[in-house]
Amino acid sequence: GESVGLHLPTLSVQEGDNSIINCAYSNSASDYFIWYKQESGKGPQFIIDIRSNMDKRQGQRVTVLLNKTVKHLSLQIAATQPGDSAVYFCAENFWGSSGGYNKLIFGAGTRLAVHP
Amino acid sequence: DAGVTQSPTHLIKTRGQHVTLRCSPISGHKSVSWYQQVLGQGPQFIFQYYEKEERGRGNFPDRFSARQFPNYSSELNVNALLLGDSALYLCASSSTVQQTAQHFGDGTRLSIL
């Protein structure tokens, strides 16, 4: 079935280190992917997105890498800070009914814990 | 600018009751989607509305329904509540259906007793 999964449910890092969160997706036809950050008691917050015609995209302290050959995404966070502690989701965009609507397919998430 | 706003933030109901959740999209956004997030899992798609029409529906029973108003706000209704309906209900908006960047509100936490 359709799924977006994550390899590591929990990632612990030291403040200042770089973090890498990985994600596998199942639909080879997917053309758009998004990373979200969700803090306790809040909704998912958009971090960065990437389209399938790219293999890398950079934002402020974050980089997303896309490997379509193995259907793999990663989110790299540079100089991780305590405020980065949250659950991170990758989401795969799915187009339904000949493009009449789109939905996001989320994995279970990876919890990032940043220690001082 | 205000983001996606949802109300209420928390709600407690008993089995068999009915509930209505509300969402106001980001100003200028015409598409609203609803997701259900069970504790410890990623959000699951319920509906997408655009221009007051249902454009897509996820694998949820007919007890779940929604509508979108002329001002693009939306309501999610759930009838005959079950214990398993306890979850965080999230609303996301985007400019159009083709604009795929969806921005989420902070959700309504629904607890069924």
Side-chain angles (χ1 to χ4, degrees), chain A residues 6-115:
Chain A
L6 299 176
H7 298 310
L8 299 174
T10 305
L11 178 64
S12 293
V13 300
Q14 292 295 123
E15 182 178 357
D17 286 351
N18 296 332
S19 302
I20 300 176
I21 301 172
N22 296 302
C23 172
Y25 64 93
S26 60
N27 189 349
S28 57
S30 293
D31 63 357
Y32 181 63
F33 305 87
I34 311 101
W35 280 99
Y36 288 94
K37 171 187 180 183
Q38 188 172 26
E39 296 175 281
S40 180
K42 295 193 174 183
Q45 176 188 356
F46 177 93
I47 301 173
I48 192 168
D49 58 1
I50 189 167
R51 300 194 182 276
S52 59
N53 60 353
M54 304 172 69
D55 53 19
K56 180 179 180 179
R57 190 170 188 211
Q58 289 184 293
Q60 187 177 9
R61 285 200 305 118
V62 295
T63 300
V64 55
L65 299 178
L66 174 62
N67 185 331
K68 295 182 289 294
T69 302
V70 295
K71 293 188 287 186
H72 183 269
L73 276 167
S74 68
L75 177 71
Q76 301 177 2
I77 305 173
T80 313
Q81 303 169 358
D84 295 327
S85 295
V87 176
Y88 289 79
F89 294 97
C90 67
E92 173 184 6
N93 185 73
F94 174 85
W95 291 95
S97 299
S98 301
Y101 76 95
N102 70 297
K103 67 178 181 180
L104 298 175
I105 301 169
F106 289 81
T110 292
R111 181 171 300 280
L112 177 65
V114 183
H115 302 286

Side-chain angles (χ1 to χ4, degrees), chain B residues 8 10-21 78 81-83 86 109-113:
Chain B
H10 295 86
L11 204 51
I12 299 174
K13 293 285 188 179
T14 58
R15 284 177 294 175
Q17 286 189 312
H18 163 271
V19 68
T20 297
L21 311 180
V78 187
L81 288 166
L82 303 174
L83 293 177
S86 294
R109 171 70 62 188
L110 176 63
S111 299
I112 310 301
L113 303 179

Side-chain angles (χ1 to χ4, degrees), chain B residues 2-109:
Chain B
V4 176
T5 58
Q6 293 187 244
S7 63
T9 54
H10 295 86
L11 204 51
I12 299 174
K13 293 285 188 179
T14 58
R15 284 177 294 175
Q17 286 189 312
H18 163 271
V19 68
T20 297
L21 311 180
R22 295 177 175 82
C23 170
S24 292
I26 292 171
S27 178
H29 284 192
K30 298 181 178 180
S31 177
V32 169
S33 298
W34 287 94
Y35 291 80
Q36 180 195 66
Q37 186 176 24
V38 175
L39 193 63
Q41 298 182 17
Q44 296 286 322
F45 174 77
I46 309 176
F47 289 111
Q48 185 176 62
Y49 275 76
Y50 178 70
E51 293 285 11
K52 298 174 288 181
E53 292 185 358
E54 180 183 308
R55 291 299 189 95
R57 183 187 182 110
N59 188 24
F60 281 81
D62 292 343
R63 298 185 296 109
F64 289 76
S65 64
R67 55 179 176 169
Q68 187 177 33
F69 300 98
N71 66 353
Y72 304 112
S73 66
S74 178
E75 285 183 353
L76 175 69
N77 296 283
V78 187
N79 293 324
L81 288 166
L82 303 174
L83 293 177
D85 295 331
S86 294
L88 179 67
Y89 288 86
L90 295 162
C91 174
S93 76
S94 57
S95 302
T96 65
V97 173
Q98 287 74 29
Q99 173 62 39
T100 51
Q102 297 189 23
H103 299 272
F104 287 83
D106 286 336
T108 294
R109 171 70 62 188

